[in-house]
Amino acid sequence: MFLRAKTRNKDGKEHRTWSVVENRRVAGGRVVQRHVLYLGEINSSQQLAWRKSIQMLEDGQSAPRSYALFPEDQCEGLVADESIVRLRLKSMRLRRPRQWGACWLALILWQMLELDEFWAERLAPTRKGTRWDLVLFVLTAYRLISPGSEWRLHRQWYASTALGDLLGTDDGVVESHKLYRCHDRLLEHKRSLFTHLQGRWRDLFNVSFEVLLYDLTSTYFESDPPLDDEDKRRHGYSRDHRFDCVQIVIALIVTPEGLPLAYEVLPGNTNDSKTLRGFLERIEHQYGKAQRIWCMDRGVPTEEVLAEMRRCEPPVQYLVGTPKGRLTRLEQALTAKPWHQARAGVKVKLLPEEGELYVFAESADRIAKERSMRRRQLKWLWARLAQLTDMALTRDALLMKLGSAQSKVPSAWRLVDVKVDKGGASFAYRLNRQKLKQARRREGRYLLRTNLTESDPVKLWNYYLQLGQVEEAFRTLKSDLAIRPIFHQDPERIEAHVFLAFLAYCLYVTLGRQLKALAPGLTSRSALEKFAAVQMVDVHIPTTDGREVLLTRYTEPEQELTLLLEQLDLALPAQPPPKISAVQPTTATAL
C-alpha cells in the first residue's frame, strides 16, 4: 500500500491530489492498482497567493484553525508562516481499520423510523451522563449487523466498528454493566413503540392495516435453569426441534408487507389455540375497533374463538387454514363446484357452508413437491423395513427400531400396515393402498375457511398466501438476527432480548422495503454486507516540526455500492475534519 499523486493543470496552476492505493496481482502475472482512500489535494504550489488551507482541530483548542499543508519536498521558496505545515508523506501510517458502512446504514434506518427521537424522549441521560438511547442503538445495530452475546459486543465487536465515530462516543457506551442495565429500561415502552411504528409504517409505505397476519414460533435456551411459577421458560412443542431445552413462545403480528406491528412473549408450554383471544383484545384496546381481516394458520384459533369472532358486533373477520381431515366431510360438495384460475398452476373453488365460506385450493407445484417428499420417505421406509426383516433381533430391539423408523418418517408410516407377531421377534408389513389413494388426492391441496363476504375465491386465496410473510419474519429472526439461543437468565432481560431482536427486525424490514422497489433480488442481508465493505481508517502523517496530522477517513465505496447509494437516494456524509497534535510516544508502529 502506498501513496499515489495525480497532477492536473487548471487555469495555469498545478494541482496535485493524493490517494492511497494498493497493488494486487491478478491472472497472467499482471499487477493492478486498487483505489483504497482519497486524501484530496495536498497543495504543492510555491505561490502563497493560491495555496489551499484546511480547517484542523488542534489539541487543547475548542475551535478549528486553518493550516496549509505541503509535502516536505515541495516547500522551497515558501515564506515562513506558523500556519504552514510540512508533511513527511513517506512516514505516513494507516491505523485502526474498522467497519463503517453497515454501521452508518443502521443509523440511517434508525433515523428514518424516527427511533432516535422516540427513545431520546423516553431514555433520558443519567446525572453521570450515560446516554441510554445511544446504548440502545448500539445494541440494536449489533443485533442487525453481527448478532452475538453482549459480552462479545463489550470485548470485541464495538472496537472493530466506527460506531464511536458516528455517535461521538467512546468505549464507555459499551461497558458491560450498561449493556445489561439498558435491557431493564425497555419493556415499559413496548406499547408506545407499537403505536409509533404503526404511524411510521403508514407514513413511509402507505400501509392500510386492513389485513393482519398472526402466527407463533418458539426459541430455546441452551441451559435448563431452575424454574419458579412466574418463569416463562418451559418445555413445550419446539419448532426448532430442541425438545431437550426449555423455551419461550413468541406471538407476532405483521402486515402483508412483512412490517411488524406487535408481539408477545408467552410461556414455552403455551398451546397455540389459547393465544388468539388475548391478542384480539390487546390489538383492539391499543388500535381501536376496525374492519381488520385476521389471517392465521390452522391450529391457532379454536372453534370457540371463531364463534366469538363471528358473534362480535361488528364481526371480527378472519381467514384461517383448516385441517385436511375436514375435507372428508366436504369433498362431495366441493366436487360439484367450478374451478377458478388464481394464477398459473393454481386453482381454487368456493363453498358456502353454515355461515362460513370454504376455499379449496390446488397448487401444481405443491402437488409435485409433496408427492416427491412422500415418495422419498416411503422409499426409505420400505428399504428400512426390508433391512429389519433380515436382522436377528430380540422383540424389544425390534420394537425400538420400528419406533425409530416411525418417528423419522411419520407421514410415510401411516401408509404402511405393520403387524408384529405376538410374543415373537418377527413382523409383516404391506402398503395400505386405500390410504395411499387418499394421500395422493390431498397432496398439494388445502382448505381455508372464512367469515368474509368476499365472493372471489382467488382474492381469498391471495390473502392466505400472505401468511408467508410471518414465516419469513420468523426465519429472519432466527437466522439473520440470531435470536436463538438465549443466554439471559433474568426473566425481564429475556423479554428485553426479544424486544431488541424486534427492533433490529424493524430496521431489517425497512431496508428490505426500500430495496424491493429497486432491486427485488437484493436482500437486506446482502445489502448490509455490501455496505460493510466500506471501512474507516486513521491516516497519521507526521510533520517536520514534531507534530502529527490525523485524517480519519472512510474508504471510497466500490462502483456497485455507489450505484446502490444513488438508487436509495442516500448521500454519504462529509469526511470527518482533520486534527493536528503533538506526536504521542508509541511502542509499536502500525503500517
Side-chain angles (χ1 to χ4, degrees):
M1 196 173 292
F2 57 92
L3 279 175
R4 183 179 67 186
K6 184 177 181 180
T7 304
R8 181 169 68 100
N9 291 316
K10 181 179 179 181
D11 299 330
K13 301 171 184 177
E14 185 181 83
H15 299 261
R16 185 163 60 166
T17 57
W18 295 83
S19 300
V20 177
V21 298
E22 69 173 350
N23 285 339
R24 284 187 174 181
R25 191 169 297 278
V26 296
R30 296 185 301 111
V31 175
V32 298
Q33 290 185 347
R34 186 178 77 90
H35 188 279
V36 177
L37 190 65
Y38 177 72
L39 298 178
E41 181 178 345
I42 300 178
N43 204 321
S44 60
S45 171
Q46 297 180 1
Q47 302 296 325
L48 293 179
W50 63 273
R51 73 182 183 214
K52 181 181 179 181
S53 294
I54 64 173
Q55 296 283 322
M56 290 193 293
L57 188 63
E58 192 170 3
D59 274 357
Q61 302 296 323
S62 58
R65 180 181 174 186
S66 295
Y67 289 90
L69 303 182
F70 291 89
E72 62 177 332
D73 60 345
Q74 299 290 330
C75 296
E76 295 181 5
L78 290 179
V79 178
D81 191 330
E82 63 178 9
S83 67
I84 295 176
V85 176
R86 296 171 172 82
L87 304 178
R88 299 184 185 275
L89 295 179
K90 292 182 180 180
S91 300
M92 181 194 72
R93 301 180 305 281
L94 301 181
R95 291 180 175 174
R96 290 188 63 219
R98 50 204 185 273
Q99 197 277 108
W100 181 86
C103 297
W104 174 77
L105 180 60
L107 183 58
I108 292 296
L109 296 171
W110 187 261
Q111 295 169 347
M112 187 180 298
L113 292 180
E114 296 181 358
L115 292 173
D116 53 338
E117 300 175 11
F118 176 86
W119 289 111
E121 295 175 0
R122 290 164 176 80
L123 299 179
T126 65
R127 288 179 296 176
K128 294 182 179 180
T130 301
R131 290 284 304 275
W132 293 113
D133 57 329
L134 299 186
V135 177
L136 174 58
F137 170 71
V138 171
L139 284 164
T140 307
Y142 176 54
R143 181 61 47 186
L144 174 70
I145 299 169
S146 179
S149 67
E150 282 76 8
W151 187 246
R152 172 174 171 263
L153 167 60
H154 162 68
R155 288 291 299 273
Q156 175 187 350
W157 187 77
Y158 181 81
S160 68
T161 72
L163 278 174
D165 303 87
L166 291 166
L167 301 177
T169 58
D170 54 22
D171 291 350
V173 77
V174 290
E175 293 177 6
S176 58
H177 70 279
K178 291 181 181 177
L179 297 178
Y180 289 109
R181 286 171 57 198
C182 184
H183 288 65
D184 304 332
R185 291 167 161 77
L186 303 180
L187 296 181
E188 60 184 293
H189 305 295
K190 188 165 72 169
R191 302 298 171 198
S192 299
L193 176 66
F194 295 162
T195 303
H196 173 81
L197 287 174
Q198 184 190 28
R200 292 308 296 152
W201 301 142
R202 182 184 292 111
D203 294 342
L204 289 172
F205 307 117
N206 195 28
V207 180
S208 63
F209 309 109
E210 67 173 3
V211 179
L212 298 182
L213 314 177
Y214 176 73
D215 207 351
L216 302 98
T217 192
S218 59
T219 184
Y220 60 90
F221 299 76
E222 284 291 358
S223 60
D224 192 0
L227 305 174
D228 57 43
D229 293 339
E230 300 299 325
D231 203 319
K232 293 183 179 180
R233 289 169 288 182
R234 290 285 187 273
H235 287 284
Y237 173 70
S238 174
R239 282 85 168 172
D240 304 314
H241 306 290
R242 290 299 305 268
F243 298 99
D244 58 318
C245 298
V246 290
Q247 64 176 20
I248 55 174
V249 170
I250 302 173
L252 179 66
I253 295 178
V254 303
T255 69
E257 297 82 11
L259 303 171
L261 285 183
Y263 77 92
E264 286 295 332
V265 177
L266 307 168
N269 58 356
T270 301
N271 191 304
D272 291 2
S273 62
K274 296 180 180 179
T275 64
L276 181 59
R277 181 183 284 109
F279 234 114
L280 292 172
E281 294 174 356
R282 281 191 288 270
I283 292 298
E284 183 176 299
H285 176 74
Q286 181 159 1
Y287 300 112
K289 289 188 176 183
Q291 286 294 102
R292 303 184 183 95
I293 303 172
W294 289 81
C295 292
M296 299 162 284
D297 213 342
R298 63 177 183 266
V300 174
T302 62
E303 290 293 334
E304 181 183 357
V305 172
L306 290 178
E308 289 178 8
M309 295 172 75
R310 291 192 294 269
R311 288 196 298 267
C312 288
E313 192 58 45
V316 179
Q317 298 176 321
Y318 60 83
L319 177 65
V320 61
T322 304
K324 287 186 177 180
R326 192 174 287 260
L327 273 174
T328 304
R329 181 167 62 85
L330 301 175
E331 228 167 4
Q332 186 174 358
L334 284 167
T335 303
K337 298 295 180 181
W339 286 106
H340 299 265
Q341 197 73 25
R343 67 179 186 187
V346 178
K347 298 184 296 182
V348 292
K349 54 175 63 177
L350 196 66
L351 173 66
E353 182 82 9
E354 298 177 358
E356 291 182 301
L357 294 175
Y358 285 88
V359 182
F360 184 58
E362 177 184 285
S363 168
D365 291 341
R366 191 159 172 173
I367 289 175
K369 178 181 178 180
E370 293 185 6
R371 190 158 293 173
S372 174
M373 292 171 58
R374 187 254 306 161
R375 286 172 175 168
R376 184 171 63 252
Q377 293 179 7
L378 191 56
K379 182 179 179 180
W380 179 89
L381 178 59
W382 203 257
R384 181 57 177 165
L385 293 175
Q387 289 176 353
L388 294 179
T389 57
D390 296 334
M391 293 182 183
L393 300 171
T394 64
R395 179 179 175 82
D396 289 343
L398 175 62
L399 293 176
M400 289 179 64
K401 290 185 180 295
L402 288 175
S404 176
Q406 179 183 7
S407 63
K408 185 171 182 178
V409 286
S411 298
W413 183 270
R414 287 192 288 268
L415 305 179
V416 178
D417 294 331
V418 179
K419 184 177 181 181
V420 182
D421 291 343
K422 293 182 179 179
S426 61
F427 71 100
Y429 61 95
R430 68 179 183 86
L431 183 65
N432 189 321
R433 298 188 179 277
Q434 185 65 30
K435 291 183 179 180
L436 178 61
K437 289 180 181 179
Q438 186 182 64
R440 285 177 57 85
R441 285 200 308 269
R442 295 181 178 179
E443 284 171 344
R445 301 170 177 91
Y446 47 96
L447 190 65
L448 314 176
R449 60 190 295 194
T450 180
N451 63 342
L452 290 169
T453 58
E454 176 63 52
S455 60
D456 184 0
V458 177
K459 188 173 181 179
L460 294 172
W461 177 81
N462 284 325
Y463 278 154
Y464 185 75
L465 198 64
Q466 293 167 343
L467 263 181
Q469 293 292 343
V470 184
E471 297 171 0
E472 179 63 30
F474 289 146
R475 281 193 294 269
T476 300
L477 285 168
K478 293 183 177 183
S479 57
D480 284 354
L481 304 181
I483 193 175
R484 62 181 181 185
I486 301 175
F487 296 98
H488 291 281
Q489 301 299 312
D490 181 79
E492 187 172 353
R493 290 180 180 177
I494 290 170
E495 296 200 33
H497 172 84
V498 179
F499 186 92
L500 286 168
F502 178 83
L503 274 175
Y505 181 68
C506 290
L507 303 187
Y508 187 96
V509 75
T510 299
L511 177 59
R513 290 294 300 173
Q514 297 286 341
L515 293 170
K516 186 174 182 180
L518 307 172
L522 187 61
T523 65
S524 298
R525 178 54 56 194
S526 59
L528 285 166
E529 290 172 354
K530 291 181 184 298
F531 275 89
V534 179
Q535 300 285 301
M536 175 167 275
V537 295
D538 291 339
V539 184
H540 295 259
I541 308 177
T543 66
T544 57
D545 60 1
R547 292 182 292 177
E548 187 172 69
V549 174
L550 172 62
L551 299 171
T552 300
R553 293 291 183 267
Y554 57 78
T555 58
E556 185 173 303
E558 299 290 343
Q559 184 175 1
E560 60 178 339
L561 182 55
T562 301
L563 180 61
L564 181 59
L565 284 165
E566 293 176 356
Q567 294 298 317
L568 291 173
D569 196 24
L570 296 176
L572 295 177
Q575 298 279 13
K579 299 178 182 179
I580 186 169
S581 64
V583 178
Q584 299 295 326
T586 57
T587 58
T589 301
L591 297 178

Short mmCIF file of all heavy atoms in Angstrom, two decimals, residues 40-80:
data_model
loop_
_atom_site.label_atom_id
_atom_site.label_comp_id
_atom_site.label_asym_id
_atom_site.label_seq_id
_atom_site.Cartn_x
_atom_site.Cartn_y
_atom_site.Cartn_z
N GLY A 40 -7.37 13.75 -1.14
CA GLY A 40 -7.63 15.11 -1.61
C GLY A 40 -6.35 15.82 -2.00
O GLY A 40 -5.27 15.23 -2.13
N GLU A 41 -6.45 17.12 -2.15
CA GLU A 41 -5.32 17.93 -2.61
C GLU A 41 -4.44 18.35 -1.44
O GLU A 41 -4.91 18.95 -0.47
CB GLU A 41 -5.83 19.17 -3.34
CG GLU A 41 -4.70 20.05 -3.88
CD GLU A 41 -5.23 21.23 -4.65
OE1 GLU A 41 -6.42 21.23 -5.00
OE2 GLU A 41 -4.46 22.18 -4.88
N ILE A 42 -3.20 17.97 -1.49
CA ILE A 42 -2.19 18.46 -0.56
C ILE A 42 -1.32 19.42 -1.38
O ILE A 42 -0.52 19.00 -2.19
CB ILE A 42 -1.36 17.32 0.04
CG1 ILE A 42 -2.28 16.37 0.80
CG2 ILE A 42 -0.28 17.85 0.96
CD1 ILE A 42 -1.58 15.17 1.40
N ASN A 43 -1.54 20.67 -1.19
CA ASN A 43 -1.03 21.70 -2.08
C ASN A 43 0.50 21.68 -2.20
O ASN A 43 1.21 21.65 -1.20
CB ASN A 43 -1.47 23.07 -1.55
CG ASN A 43 -1.52 24.10 -2.65
OD1 ASN A 43 -0.68 24.12 -3.52
ND2 ASN A 43 -2.54 24.94 -2.58
N SER A 44 0.99 21.71 -3.43
CA SER A 44 2.43 21.70 -3.66
C SER A 44 2.91 22.98 -4.34
O SER A 44 4.04 23.04 -4.80
CB SER A 44 2.80 20.48 -4.52
OG SER A 44 2.13 20.54 -5.76
N SER A 45 2.07 23.97 -4.40
CA SER A 45 2.48 25.22 -5.06
C SER A 45 3.44 26.02 -4.20
O SER A 45 3.42 25.95 -2.98
CB SER A 45 1.24 26.06 -5.36
OG SER A 45 1.61 27.34 -5.81
N GLN A 46 4.28 26.83 -4.83
CA GLN A 46 5.18 27.73 -4.12
C GLN A 46 4.62 29.15 -4.08
O GLN A 46 5.30 30.07 -3.64
CB GLN A 46 6.56 27.73 -4.79
CG GLN A 46 7.23 26.36 -4.73
CD GLN A 46 8.59 26.36 -5.39
OE1 GLN A 46 9.05 27.40 -5.90
NE2 GLN A 46 9.25 25.22 -5.40
N GLN A 47 3.41 29.32 -4.54
CA GLN A 47 2.79 30.64 -4.55
C GLN A 47 1.79 30.72 -3.40
O GLN A 47 0.76 30.05 -3.39
CB GLN A 47 2.07 30.88 -5.88
CG GLN A 47 2.99 30.78 -7.09
CD GLN A 47 4.05 31.85 -7.05
OE1 GLN A 47 3.79 32.97 -6.61
NE2 GLN A 47 5.24 31.52 -7.52
N LEU A 48 2.10 31.54 -2.39
CA LEU A 48 1.22 31.66 -1.23
C LEU A 48 -0.15 32.23 -1.60
O LEU A 48 -1.12 32.06 -0.87
CB LEU A 48 1.88 32.56 -0.18
CG LEU A 48 3.15 32.00 0.48
CD1 LEU A 48 3.71 33.01 1.47
CD2 LEU A 48 2.84 30.69 1.19
N ALA A 49 -0.22 32.89 -2.74
CA ALA A 49 -1.46 33.57 -3.10
C ALA A 49 -2.61 32.58 -3.34
O ALA A 49 -3.76 32.95 -3.16
CB ALA A 49 -1.25 34.41 -4.35
N TRP A 50 -2.28 31.37 -3.73
CA TRP A 50 -3.39 30.45 -4.01
C TRP A 50 -3.26 29.13 -3.26
O TRP A 50 -3.96 28.18 -3.56
CB TRP A 50 -3.51 30.18 -5.51
CG TRP A 50 -2.31 29.50 -6.14
CD1 TRP A 50 -1.21 30.11 -6.64
CD2 TRP A 50 -2.12 28.10 -6.32
NE1 TRP A 50 -0.33 29.19 -7.12
CE2 TRP A 50 -0.87 27.93 -6.95
CE3 TRP A 50 -2.87 26.97 -6.02
CZ2 TRP A 50 -0.35 26.69 -7.28
CZ3 TRP A 50 -2.35 25.74 -6.35
CH2 TRP A 50 -1.10 25.60 -6.98
N ARG A 51 -2.39 29.07 -2.24
CA ARG A 51 -2.24 27.81 -1.53
C ARG A 51 -3.56 27.48 -0.80
O ARG A 51 -4.28 28.38 -0.37
CB ARG A 51 -1.08 27.89 -0.55
CG ARG A 51 -1.36 28.74 0.67
CD ARG A 51 -0.14 28.79 1.55
NE ARG A 51 -0.44 29.56 2.77
CZ ARG A 51 0.43 30.31 3.38
NH1 ARG A 51 1.66 30.44 2.90
NH2 ARG A 51 0.11 30.95 4.49
N LYS A 52 -3.79 26.20 -0.65
CA LYS A 52 -5.05 25.75 -0.08
C LYS A 52 -4.91 25.56 1.42
O LYS A 52 -3.97 24.93 1.89
CB LYS A 52 -5.47 24.42 -0.72
CG LYS A 52 -6.78 23.88 -0.19
CD LYS A 52 -7.11 22.57 -0.86
CE LYS A 52 -8.42 22.02 -0.31
NZ LYS A 52 -8.77 20.73 -0.93
N SER A 53 -5.86 26.06 2.17
CA SER A 53 -5.88 25.89 3.62
C SER A 53 -7.03 24.98 4.01
O SER A 53 -8.08 24.98 3.38
CB SER A 53 -6.04 27.24 4.33
OG SER A 53 -4.91 28.05 4.09
N ILE A 54 -6.82 24.20 5.06
CA ILE A 54 -7.87 23.35 5.57
C ILE A 54 -8.04 23.61 7.06
O ILE A 54 -7.11 24.06 7.73
CB ILE A 54 -7.58 21.85 5.33
CG1 ILE A 54 -6.33 21.42 6.10
CG2 ILE A 54 -7.45 21.55 3.86
CD1 ILE A 54 -6.10 19.93 6.03
N GLN A 55 -9.24 23.33 7.54
CA GLN A 55 -9.55 23.52 8.95
C GLN A 55 -9.15 22.26 9.72
O GLN A 55 -9.56 21.16 9.38
CB GLN A 55 -11.04 23.78 9.14
CG GLN A 55 -11.53 25.08 8.49
CD GLN A 55 -11.14 26.29 9.32
OE1 GLN A 55 -11.17 26.25 10.55
NE2 GLN A 55 -10.76 27.36 8.66
N MET A 56 -8.33 22.46 10.77
CA MET A 56 -7.92 21.34 11.62
C MET A 56 -8.10 21.74 13.07
O MET A 56 -7.91 22.91 13.43
CB MET A 56 -6.46 20.95 11.35
CG MET A 56 -6.23 20.30 10.00
SD MET A 56 -4.61 19.51 9.88
CE MET A 56 -3.54 20.93 9.93
N LEU A 57 -8.46 20.74 13.87
CA LEU A 57 -8.64 20.97 15.30
C LEU A 57 -7.36 20.60 16.01
O LEU A 57 -6.87 19.47 15.91
CB LEU A 57 -9.81 20.12 15.83
CG LEU A 57 -10.24 20.41 17.26
CD1 LEU A 57 -10.76 21.84 17.39
CD2 LEU A 57 -11.31 19.41 17.70
N GLU A 58 -6.81 21.56 16.74
CA GLU A 58 -5.56 21.35 17.43
C GLU A 58 -5.83 20.92 18.87
O GLU A 58 -6.82 21.31 19.48
CB GLU A 58 -4.73 22.65 17.42
CG GLU A 58 -3.30 22.46 17.86
CD GLU A 58 -2.46 23.71 17.60
OE1 GLU A 58 -3.03 24.72 17.13
OE2 GLU A 58 -1.26 23.66 17.86
N ASP A 59 -4.95 20.08 19.40
CA ASP A 59 -5.10 19.61 20.77
C ASP A 59 -5.22 20.78 21.74
O ASP A 59 -4.45 21.74 21.68
CB ASP A 59 -3.88 18.76 21.17
CG ASP A 59 -4.07 17.31 20.76
OD1 ASP A 59 -5.14 16.99 20.24
OD2 ASP A 59 -3.13 16.52 20.96
N GLY A 60 -6.21 20.70 22.62
CA GLY A 60 -6.39 21.72 23.64
C GLY A 60 -7.17 22.92 23.18
O GLY A 60 -7.42 23.84 23.97
N GLN A 61 -7.59 22.96 21.89
CA GLN A 61 -8.34 24.10 21.35
C GLN A 61 -9.78 23.69 21.11
O GLN A 61 -10.07 22.55 20.73
CB GLN A 61 -7.70 24.60 20.05
CG GLN A 61 -6.24 25.02 20.20
CD GLN A 61 -6.08 26.23 21.12
OE1 GLN A 61 -6.92 27.13 21.13
NE2 GLN A 61 -5.01 26.22 21.92
N SER A 62 -10.70 24.61 21.30
CA SER A 62 -12.12 24.31 21.12
C SER A 62 -12.60 24.64 19.71
O SER A 62 -13.64 24.13 19.29
CB SER A 62 -12.96 25.10 22.13
OG SER A 62 -12.73 26.51 21.97
N ALA A 63 -11.86 25.47 18.98
CA ALA A 63 -12.27 25.87 17.63
C ALA A 63 -11.21 25.45 16.62
O ALA A 63 -10.01 25.46 16.93
CB ALA A 63 -12.50 27.38 17.55
N PRO A 64 -11.59 25.07 15.42
CA PRO A 64 -10.60 24.69 14.41
C PRO A 64 -9.80 25.89 13.91
O PRO A 64 -10.23 27.04 14.02
CB PRO A 64 -11.45 24.08 13.30
CG PRO A 64 -12.79 24.70 13.45
CD PRO A 64 -12.96 24.94 14.92
N ARG A 65 -8.66 25.61 13.35
CA ARG A 65 -7.78 26.64 12.83
C ARG A 65 -7.35 26.26 11.43
O ARG A 65 -7.24 25.08 11.10
CB ARG A 65 -6.57 26.78 13.74
CG ARG A 65 -5.56 27.84 13.31
CD ARG A 65 -4.40 27.86 14.27
NE ARG A 65 -3.36 28.76 13.81
CZ ARG A 65 -2.16 28.91 14.40
NH1 ARG A 65 -1.90 28.21 15.50
NH2 ARG A 65 -1.26 29.72 13.92
N SER A 66 -7.10 27.24 10.58
CA SER A 66 -6.71 26.99 9.19
C SER A 66 -5.21 26.71 9.10
O SER A 66 -4.39 27.44 9.67
CB SER A 66 -7.07 28.17 8.30
OG SER A 66 -8.48 28.33 8.24
N TYR A 67 -4.87 25.66 8.36
CA TYR A 67 -3.49 25.32 8.09
C TYR A 67 -3.33 25.07 6.60
O TYR A 67 -4.26 24.63 5.92
CB TYR A 67 -3.08 24.06 8.86
CG TYR A 67 -2.94 24.25 10.35
CD1 TYR A 67 -4.02 24.06 11.19
CD2 TYR A 67 -1.72 24.62 10.91
CE1 TYR A 67 -3.90 24.23 12.56
CE2 TYR A 67 -1.59 24.80 12.27
CZ TYR A 67 -2.69 24.60 13.10
OH TYR A 67 -2.55 24.76 14.45
N ALA A 68 -2.12 25.32 6.11
CA ALA A 68 -1.77 25.00 4.74
C ALA A 68 -0.84 23.79 4.76
O ALA A 68 0.17 23.81 5.45
CB ALA A 68 -1.09 26.18 4.06
N LEU A 69 -1.20 22.76 4.02
CA LEU A 69 -0.42 21.52 4.03
C LEU A 69 0.47 21.46 2.80
O LEU A 69 0.00 21.67 1.68
CB LEU A 69 -1.36 20.32 4.05
CG LEU A 69 -2.36 20.26 5.21
CD1 LEU A 69 -3.18 18.97 5.12
CD2 LEU A 69 -1.65 20.34 6.55
N PHE A 70 1.74 21.12 3.03
CA PHE A 70 2.70 20.96 1.93
C PHE A 70 3.53 19.71 2.19
O PHE A 70 3.95 19.47 3.33
CB PHE A 70 3.64 22.16 1.83
CG PHE A 70 2.98 23.43 1.38
CD1 PHE A 70 2.41 24.29 2.30
CD2 PHE A 70 2.91 23.75 0.04
CE1 PHE A 70 1.79 25.45 1.90
CE2 PHE A 70 2.29 24.92 -0.37
CZ PHE A 70 1.73 25.78 0.56
N PRO A 71 3.79 18.93 1.16
CA PRO A 71 4.79 17.87 1.32
C PRO A 71 6.15 18.49 1.62
O PRO A 71 6.47 19.57 1.12
CB PRO A 71 4.78 17.15 -0.03
CG PRO A 71 3.50 17.55 -0.69
CD PRO A 71 3.19 18.93 -0.20
N GLU A 72 6.95 17.82 2.41
CA GLU A 72 8.23 18.41 2.83
C GLU A 72 9.17 18.62 1.66
O GLU A 72 10.06 19.47 1.73
CB GLU A 72 8.90 17.51 3.88
CG GLU A 72 9.24 16.12 3.37
CD GLU A 72 9.97 15.31 4.43
OE1 GLU A 72 10.66 15.95 5.27
OE2 GLU A 72 9.87 14.07 4.42
N ASP A 73 9.00 17.89 0.57
CA ASP A 73 9.90 18.07 -0.59
C ASP A 73 9.40 19.14 -1.54
O ASP A 73 9.97 19.35 -2.61
CB ASP A 73 10.06 16.75 -1.34
CG ASP A 73 8.74 16.23 -1.88
OD1 ASP A 73 7.68 16.71 -1.43
OD2 ASP A 73 8.76 15.33 -2.76
N GLN A 74 8.32 19.83 -1.18
CA GLN A 74 7.78 20.87 -2.05
C GLN A 74 7.63 22.19 -1.31
O GLN A 74 6.67 22.92 -1.51
CB GLN A 74 6.40 20.42 -2.59
CG GLN A 74 6.42 19.16 -3.41
CD GLN A 74 7.09 19.37 -4.75
OE1 GLN A 74 7.06 20.48 -5.30
NE2 GLN A 74 7.72 18.34 -5.27
N CYS A 75 8.56 22.48 -0.42
CA CYS A 75 8.42 23.67 0.43
C CYS A 75 9.45 24.75 0.11
O CYS A 75 9.54 25.75 0.83
CB CYS A 75 8.57 23.28 1.91
SG CYS A 75 7.25 22.18 2.46
N GLU A 76 10.25 24.56 -0.93
CA GLU A 76 11.25 25.57 -1.26
C GLU A 76 10.56 26.85 -1.71
O GLU A 76 9.61 26.83 -2.48
CB GLU A 76 12.17 25.06 -2.38
CG GLU A 76 13.01 23.86 -1.97
CD GLU A 76 13.91 23.41 -3.09
OE1 GLU A 76 13.92 24.09 -4.13
OE2 GLU A 76 14.59 22.38 -2.93
N GLY A 77 11.06 27.98 -1.22
CA GLY A 77 10.53 29.27 -1.63
C GLY A 77 9.34 29.73 -0.82
O GLY A 77 8.83 30.83 -1.05
N LEU A 78 8.87 28.91 0.11
CA LEU A 78 7.73 29.33 0.91
C LEU A 78 8.17 30.29 2.01
O LEU A 78 9.20 30.11 2.64
CB LEU A 78 7.05 28.12 1.57
CG LEU A 78 6.29 27.17 0.64
CD1 LEU A 78 5.72 26.03 1.44
CD2 LEU A 78 5.20 27.89 -0.11
N VAL A 79 7.37 31.31 2.22
CA VAL A 79 7.64 32.26 3.29
C VAL A 79 7.31 31.59 4.61
O VAL A 79 6.29 30.91 4.75
CB VAL A 79 6.78 33.52 3.12
CG1 VAL A 79 7.01 34.49 4.27
CG2 VAL A 79 7.09 34.19 1.78
N ALA A 80 8.18 31.74 5.61
CA ALA A 80 7.96 31.12 6.92
C ALA A 80 6.63 31.60 7.50
O ALA A 80 6.37 32.80 7.55
CB ALA A 80 9.11 31.43 7.86
#
